[in-house]
Amino acid sequence: MLSKKMLKALNKQIQEELYSGYLYLAMSAYLSDQNLNGFATWMRMQAREEDSHAMKIYQYIIEHNGQPLVPELQKPPRDFKGAADIFKQALDHERHITACINDLVDLAQKEKDKATESFLQWFVDEQVEEENQVVEVIKQLNIVKDDGPGLWMLDQEMGQRTFTPLPGIENRMV
Ligand code: FEO
């Protein structure tokens, strides 16, 4: 049984994860418009991952006899200043999400909710990966800078990313 505070905080995290997906989809749309189709694919796969993070929490709430809330989402930005700007913003955003997850773990500990604390460990580990993968892209973008052929090759590589559904988690996005 989830406490009222824990349920409210988990529902807030659904909103954070869905907004992350929205933000990355907006970034993908911008990248497509810039003809950076590989980067756009990478961001679209990231948007789908965020959707499955939201659905993982959604399903957890149901399994614990709570009601997940389908939140109102803020409109994401549509204008960016190139791929480097986008990935810097994505890193800032992931750091914000890591802070949200850490706050949730603190709350689970305060509420003595061992099940939720254990459930959240997956997200703690996932955030390390989420931040690292964006840092890797930033490093590669720093190497190629304004080099056209280098950016083209990196774009090709980024376009190889695929989406692997989380076991047992339904996805809304296709
Ligand atoms: Fe679900 Fe990228 O944090």
Side-chain angles (χ1 to χ4, degrees), residues 4-18:
K4 268 192 183 155
K5 269 190 194 168
M6 200 72 248
L7 177 61
K8 191 173 169 197
L10 287 169
N11 268 320
K12 175 77 174 53
Q13 193 60 29
I14 290 180
Q15 185 180 35
E16 293 281 355
E17 301 289 348
L18 288 176

Side-chain angles (χ1 to χ4, degrees), residues 145-165:
K145 288 208 164 52
D146 293 329
D147 175 60
L151 191 61
W152 184 85
M153 279 176 67
L154 184 54
D155 188 59
Q156 298 294 304
E157 193 186 314
M158 295 285 285
Q160 301 304 310
R161 181 173 181 184
T162 55
F163 171 70
T164 309

Side-chain angles (χ1 to χ4, degrees), residues 17 20 24 46 50 53 94 97 127 130:
E17 301 289 348
S20 302
Y24 295 147
Q46 187 61 29
E50 299 305 348
H53 296 170
E94 284 305 326
I97 296 295
Q127 280 311 117
E130 295 268 294

